[in-house]
Amino acid sequence: MCGIIGIAGKTQAVPVLLDGLEKLEYRGYDSAGVAVITDDGTLRVEKCKGRIAVLREKTDEGAPITGTTGIGHTRWATHGEPSDINAHPQMGQEGIVAVVHNGIIENYRELKQSLERSGRVFQSETDTEVVAQLMEYYYDMYHDLMDAVYAMLSRIRGSYALGILSSDAPGQIIAAKKDAPLLIGYGEGENFIASDVTALLSHTRTVSYLDDDEVAVITPESVRIYDAGRLPVTKEKHAVEWDVSSAEKGGYAHFMLKEIMEQPDAVRRTFSPRLQDSRIEFEELAGVPDLIKNISRIYLVGCGSAYHVGVVGKYMMEKLLRIPAEAVLGSEFRYCDPIVGPDTLVIVISQSGETLDSMAALREAKRRGATVLAVVNVIGSSIAREADIVIYTWAGPEIAVATTKAYSTQLVLLSMLTVYFAEKLGKISSEDYGRYVNDLSELPGKMETTLGNIGNIQKTASLSFNHDSVFFIGRNLDYALGLEGSLKLKEISYIHSESYAAGELKHGTISLMEPGVLVVTLATCSSLIEKTWSNMVEVTTRGADVLALTTEDNVSRFSEEASAILPVPSTNELLQMNLNIIPLQLFAYYVALNRGCDIDKPRNLAKSVTVE
Ligand code: M6R
């Protein structure tokens, strides 16, 4: 989704803004722009539809635009089509104020009408222009920028991360935040704002996270932050440990491939610090050792792939803990009147920690008295900060829109939590506990073995990339995995794909089985392999082509009916999905590559979905 970068410094701003915007490209966008206060004290805005490369060309790499204070934006259209005019920054009609904005101003129509009645003329279809026009309206009234900011903020409803420049305040950026992430970066003689830490990594690793309703005034020498009542706020500074190289491709053709290959290391980073003397220890839960003993219902909430991890978690937790567990979509949770109380544990899963629907679910769960445990990757993100307990996945920055390593680390963390809770409840034998810990230690090695099969997967994908319709079937955990395999394929290759519980197919969808349809059969849950095999035969009988994913010891069962087999090593059933997902990710990747798709930035998608 949209991205923001801003610098108040002493060097030329536009090259810094362009580089920062490139770091934000992964979030998904359709237009981009920059605004600077030029040396002659005027605001100059350059923006265009399309990629940063177009903006680079348009601004001649920024060299001719002199000015050391500026803001930049990548826009993912919500209100108004992607176009030069609708791109940010948006200016007020007097040219005194320029604004970049992430989020949605919900009451922009009524504000626009009222401003139009007072004679203001709008250029764009965006909700953001209302902010710029309203700022100028109040600035004309009060002749004080901060008065104008607070008056403007009191009128707008919705979510926003705002970066504001005024030609009357050279060398200064004003920032404001509500329900959309915004952080401050501290440099030497230069300070920054950004929606995402990756935009700042090459300048600083010292940051503060703005909280809702705070306003910041940033100059090269100072950062002042105020609360909703205009009282000064002292913010904690955080050191960001992610390094620059982890946000670069490092020789891989795509971030997605790099992140797939990083999974053994990422998973090791997730579990190693939490394994001490062959015991699972969560420092994060040290203050609540009896948490699970007081829980009678568990919800696992997330969106997209994070929801799919929740489905895996549901199967694992119900089976081991014997506590009702339900996976719920973040976008549905608050609207389904969930049965939530003090005996409910709500596990919110999110890579970005900024997904608006997951955040809304978190707030609803807290409002109803639940304990909220967040499984999050991005440190200091909104969900991480608002949850009662946060457990970080430590996957490192994930840049490709299609999640891979974050998904894997979430999976492993949920299996660890399940075993940890099961032990607290006395519901796992010491043999099974020991076996799990041992299998966990061996997991990265088995993931590497699975990745070693890349050539076979690439070949399979090159034979399958022209199917128009692909189904994934499996039972139990394999069904949960199919949800993710199918999403991976459709989001980056644009092939129509659905995932079904294998036993459900014959209740309707089997009518679609015919030659030309591909069915990816997932069969690794040992007690269900025969049943899934039968479902596979049901579809081959109707002419569908089958690709089977199964454990190495079961390959021979499938070799007759399946046109190709993706074998995976066997492991503990709580960890098996960590191996199974690898061929599915690589299959999606190579299918998309064969189809010439924009793998890291699939059409219409954003990395972090901060609107409802
Ligand atoms: O940042 P989050 O984990 O909260 O994001 C949730 C989904 O938007 C995300 O998993 C999405 O489905 C990805 N494109 C999947 O690859």
Side-chain angles (χ1 to χ4, degrees), residues 303-306 349-353 355 401-403 410 487-488 491 609:
C303 299
S305 300
I349 306 161
S350 175
Q351 188 285 129
S352 63
T355 301
V401 165
T403 182
Q410 289 162 352
L487 179 68
K488 278 294 79 82
E491 70 180 331
V609 182

Side-chain angles (χ1 to χ4, degrees), residues 508-521:
T509 311
I510 202 162
S511 63
L512 297 175
M513 295 302 141
E514 60 181 4
V517 169
L518 177 65
V519 179
V520 180
T521 304

Side-chain angles (χ1 to χ4, degrees), residues 515-556:
V517 169
L518 177 65
V519 179
V520 180
T521 304
L522 309 170
T524 63
C525 294
S526 50
S527 59
L528 296 167
I529 285 184
E530 274 184 15
K531 292 193 186 297
T532 307
W533 181 87
S534 300
N535 298 131
M536 178 192 72
V537 174
E538 287 162 7
V539 304
T540 51
T541 307
R542 281 142 185 105
D545 194 13
V546 164
L547 174 57
L549 186 152
T550 190
T551 47
E552 282 156 356
D553 43 336
N554 278 299
V555 165
S556 57

Side-chain angles (χ1 to χ4, degrees), residues 19 55 59-60 111 142-143 188 200 270 292 294 311 313 328 366 416 475 505 518 552 571 596 605:
D19 286 349
L55 186 64
T59 56
D60 197 9
L111 291 172
Y142 299 128
H143 310 295
E188 295 282 327
L200 299 183
T270 306
I292 198 65
N294 302 316
V311 180
V328 187
K366 281 183 83 170
M416 289 178 81
R475 286 169 181 264
L505 214 59
L518 177 65
E552 282 156 356
T571 183
L605 289 181

Side-chain angles (χ1 to χ4, degrees), residues 256 301-308 348-356 358-359 375-378 383 398 400-404 406-407 410 484 487-488 491-492 602 605-609:
M256 183 178 176
V301 180
C303 299
S305 300
Y307 165 73
H308 300 157
V348 177
I349 306 161
S350 175
Q351 188 285 129
S352 63
E354 301 295 350
T355 301
L356 189 130
S358 303
M359 173 57 113
V375 172
V376 172
N377 192 37
V378 177
I383 290 175
E398 189 178 69
V401 165
T403 182
T404 52
Y407 171 86
Q410 289 162 352
E484 178 61 6
L487 179 68
K488 278 294 79 82
E491 70 180 331
I492 61 167
L605 289 181
K607 181 67 179 161
S608 170
V609 182

Side-chain angles (χ1 to χ4, degrees), residues 436-455:
Y436 171 81
V437 168
N438 182 57
D439 292 338
L440 183 58
S441 314
E442 289 178 358
L443 183 64
K446 289 195 174 177
M447 291 173 79
E448 266 151 27
T449 307
T450 313
L451 284 166
N453 200 18
I454 189 165

